[in-house]
């Protein structure tokens, strides 16, 4: 294989991270083949509405949809400085009979914008299926560990107990909001259709001799041929870049969700409570062979940060579009739209791999609880003593003194928390010693966490996953190539 491929820049999104399906959506082959499909749709609709276009011309175009001569198109574009006209010329040479009617009445944005909308629709479908896959796997995880107590954290300090499964529902809840936002983008997406150079459809009105009803019908028919139920009713030369902003914002929101979840996993991995999958041949560090770095979660965070920044790019592009259109959106959108979808695809593929192989270490979690639970149980000990006839204020002072002594052992001497041993050794607490094991049972500190998991999965998650049941049936284990 020639080494020339290594002499120029290649995006890591295409060479390392994103799926082949998403890469194909944004490929030149798909882009330019779609342009040709749109010219065919336009010709079919114009023929149906009475323009002089014949079946032979349409058949000639259909026979050459995927036969794209990229070198010839590049040579034409170098001469014309216009990408659409370069491809019109190349396509016309392949289709001499159809040449007179290719791109008839259309402006460049007919193929450019409509193709982008088709790609966005396909990208949203891929992303939504991947989000559903992650939600499905996390739901299984949440149900499996719904009752396993673990330390909760506020301010990154140990707080009241929760469960491993309940914590997972917090991640799922965010993903459900992302699914909703992305699905709304998908449902609201319309086609640009045939609108002409400034959105007035003037060129098509001329083609149809002033028959506005036919022009309106043409717009609708082309949209239907492309699989859209509706075209945007008004546009400038382009569809509003607010559409891009809505889509990229939803993808950026997904990035924030993934970053938060994977940051949590990295924190839990540092405590050796929960780990992402680690392959038998995987090397954690070139210098420290014992390390098990959470590299998948770190990758998700890294790419998610890039995805989050793209929202501002889309917002600025929309904000700076002048009047009916200015071309300074074009080069920017080539970067922003593709990278937003490829980034989302990459983090979801990686996250699905992570969630399919999460490892929980209950004994480590139990040990961490044991280090903190004695302090958390002090109020319960006081209440038990009061029920046994003790004075609350006296008991409170006893517990306060013993807690500070135990705290000193932990903080100053690096020893285990021995508060319970101190309570057992103090004769004052003799009336409740038989109750201590029950008082210190972690499962009595998790509230309704287990029930919340079941209710959440049944009432909130199941209806959403029901929309993706066909996809989820065929969901396979994700293997990362790198």
């Amino acid at each position: 294989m020639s080494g020339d491929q290594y002499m120029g820049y290649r995006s890591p999104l295409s060479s390392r991270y994103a799926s082949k399906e998403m890469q194909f959506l944004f490929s030149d082959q798909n882009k330019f083949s779609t342009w040709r499909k749109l010219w065919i749709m336009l010709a079919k609709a114009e023929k149906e509405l009475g323009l002089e276009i014949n079946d032979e011309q349409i058949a000639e175009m259909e026979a050459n949809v995927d036969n794209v001569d990229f070198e010839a198109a590049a040579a034409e574009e170098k001469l014309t400085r216009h990408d659409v006209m370069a491809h019109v010329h190349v396509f016309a040479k392949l289709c001499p009979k159809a040449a007179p009617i290719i791109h008839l009445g259309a402006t460049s944005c007919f193929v450019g914008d409509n193709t982008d909308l088709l790609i966005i629709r396909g990208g949203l479908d891929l992303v939504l299926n991947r989000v559903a896959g992650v939600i499905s796997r996390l739901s299984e995880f949440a149900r499996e560990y719904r009752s396993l107590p673990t330390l909760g954290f506020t301010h990154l300090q140990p707080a009241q107990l929760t469960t491993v499964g309940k914590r997972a529902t917090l991640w799922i809840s965010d993903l459900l909001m992302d699914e909703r936002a992305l699905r709304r983008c998908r449902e609201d997406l319309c086609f640009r259709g045939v609108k002409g150079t400034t959105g007035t459809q003037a060129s098509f009105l001329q083609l149809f001799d002033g028959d506005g009803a036919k022009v309106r019908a043409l717009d609708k028919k082309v949209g239907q041929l492309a699989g859209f139920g509706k075209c945007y009713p008004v546009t400038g030369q382009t569809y509003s870049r607010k559409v891009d902003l809505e889509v990229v914002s939803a993808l950026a929101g997904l990035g924030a969700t993934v970053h938060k979840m994977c940051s949590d996993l990295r924190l839990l991995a540092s405590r050796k409570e929960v780990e992402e999958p680690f392959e038998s041949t995987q090397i954690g560090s070139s210098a420290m062979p014992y390390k098990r770095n959470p590299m998948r979660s770190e990758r998700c965070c890294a790419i998610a940060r890039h995805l989050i920044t793209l929202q501002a790019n889309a917002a600025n592009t929309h904000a700076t579009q002048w009047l009916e259109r200015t071309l300074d959106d074009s080069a920017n959108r080539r970067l922003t739209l593709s990278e937003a979808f490829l980034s989302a695809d990459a983090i979801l593929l990686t996250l699905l791999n992570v969630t399919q192989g999460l490892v929980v270490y209950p004994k480590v979690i139990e040990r961490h609880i044991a280090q903190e639970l004695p302090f958390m149980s002090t109020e319960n000990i006081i209440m038990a003593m009061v029920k046994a006839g003790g004075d609350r204020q006296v008991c409170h002072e006893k517990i306060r003194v013993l807690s500070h002594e135990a705290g000193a052992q932990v903080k100053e001497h690096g020893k285990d928390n021995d508060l319970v041993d101190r309570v057992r050794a103090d004769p004052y607490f003799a009336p409740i010693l038989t109750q201590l094991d029950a008082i210190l049972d972690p499962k009595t500190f998790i509230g309704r966490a287990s029930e919340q998991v079941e209710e959440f999965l049944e009432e909130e998650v199941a209806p959403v996953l029901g929309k993706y049941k066909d996809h989820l049936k065929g969901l396979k284990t994700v293997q990362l190539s790198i």
Side-chain angles (χ1 to χ4, degrees), residues 365 403 420:
I365 293 172
S403 294
V420 176

Side-chain angles (χ1 to χ4, degrees), residues 2-3 45 61 70 78 101 115 124 153 197 211 215 228 251 287 319 341 356 358 399 406 412 450 468:
S2 170
M61 288 193 288
F70 294 100
K78 190 173 182 180
I101 56 93
T115 293
L124 287 170
F153 283 83
T197 55
D211 190 335
V215 174
F228 283 83
L251 293 170
F341 276 100
Q356 287 174 336
L358 282 175
I399 285 289
E412 296 175 19
S450 300
Y468 300 91

Side-chain angles (χ1 to χ4, degrees), residues 265-291:
L265 288 173
R266 291 163 66 187
L267 291 169
L268 293 170
S270 76
R271 294 174 56 79
K272 296 181 173 59
E273 292 187 359
V274 181
E275 285 184 345
E276 64 182 38
F278 194 91
E279 296 167 20
S280 60
T281 59
Q282 184 173 329
I283 296 174
S285 168
S286 60
M288 296 167 280
Y290 60 88
K291 293 191 75 180

Side-chain angles (χ1 to χ4, degrees), residues 159-361:
Q160 195 173 67
L161 301 191
T162 182
T163 70
V164 173
K166 171 63 192 301
R167 179 176 282 141
T169 64
L170 304 182
W171 303 330
I172 298 170
S173 180
D174 287 351
L175 286 165
L176 288 179
M177 286 188 270
D178 294 315
E179 187 277 338
R180 181 183 64 196
L182 291 161
R183 178 164 39 85
R184 283 177 177 172
C185 287
R186 174 66 172 82
E187 292 170 352
D188 291 346
L189 199 66
C190 299
F191 207 50
R192 177 191 173 276
V194 289
K195 296 296 196 297
T197 55
T198 58
T200 65
Q201 299 177 310
S203 58
F204 294 103
L205 197 62
Q206 287 184 336
L207 276 177
F208 288 99
D209 298 323
D211 190 335
K214 283 191 175 181
V215 174
R216 191 173 186 186
L218 178 70
D219 197 28
K220 185 176 181 180
K221 284 180 183 295
V222 174
Q224 289 173 338
L225 287 171
F228 283 83
K230 184 179 178 182
C231 293
Y232 292 110
V234 293
T235 72
Q237 186 173 88
T238 70
Y239 69 80
S240 172
R241 296 320 185 207
K242 183 79 170 181
V243 175
D244 295 346
L245 176 55
E246 285 188 347
V247 172
V248 176
S249 294
L251 293 170
L254 172 66
T257 293
V258 174
H259 198 294
K260 195 276 181 190
M261 175 185 167
C262 289
S263 294
D264 287 352
L265 288 173
R266 291 163 66 187
L267 291 169
L268 293 170
S270 76
R271 294 174 56 79
K272 296 181 173 59
E273 292 187 359
V274 181
E275 285 184 345
E276 64 182 38
F278 194 91
E279 296 167 20
S280 60
T281 59
Q282 184 173 329
I283 296 174
S285 168
S286 60
M288 296 167 280
Y290 60 88
K291 293 191 75 180
R292 291 169 67 94
N293 299 334
M295 53 81 66
R296 293 168 174 83
S297 296
E298 291 172 320
R299 175 186 298 178
C300 284
C301 288
I303 300 175
R305 283 201 304 276
H306 176 62
L307 175 55
I308 291 167
T309 67
L310 295 176
Q311 190 273 345
N313 212 339
N316 280 306
T317 294
H318 173 57
T320 55
Q321 282 295 284
W322 300 346
L323 305 176
E324 279 65 50
R325 188 277 161 94
T326 179
L327 193 62
D328 71 344
D329 64 334
S330 180
N332 187 287
R333 292 174 70 250
R334 290 175 193 264
L335 297 168
T336 302
L337 287 177
S338 59
E339 291 200 359
F341 276 100
L342 290 166
S343 295
D345 182 65
I347 60 177
L348 286 170
L349 275 178
T350 308
L351 188 58
L352 186 54
N353 173 268
V354 168
T355 56
Q356 287 174 336
L358 282 175
V359 181
V360 177
Y361 295 104

Side-chain angles (χ1 to χ4, degrees), residues 426-482:
D426 191 322
Y428 176 80
F429 294 99
I432 66 165
L433 289 185
T434 58
Q435 303 174 43
L436 270 183
D437 287 342
I439 291 172
L440 292 166
D441 182 355
K443 290 188 177 179
T444 65
F445 289 82
I446 62 173
R448 295 190 64 252
S450 300
E451 292 82 357
Q452 285 182 345
V453 171
E454 290 288 3
E455 292 160 4
F456 175 71
L457 295 179
E458 180 65 27
E459 297 170 12
E460 304 296 330
V461 179
V464 173
L465 291 183
K467 301 170 186 174
Y468 300 91
K469 58 184 179 181
D470 291 338
H471 168 72
L472 293 174
K473 284 179 184 177
L475 190 62
K476 299 178 180 178
T477 301
V478 173
Q479 301 291 340
L480 298 180
S481 58
I482 295 179

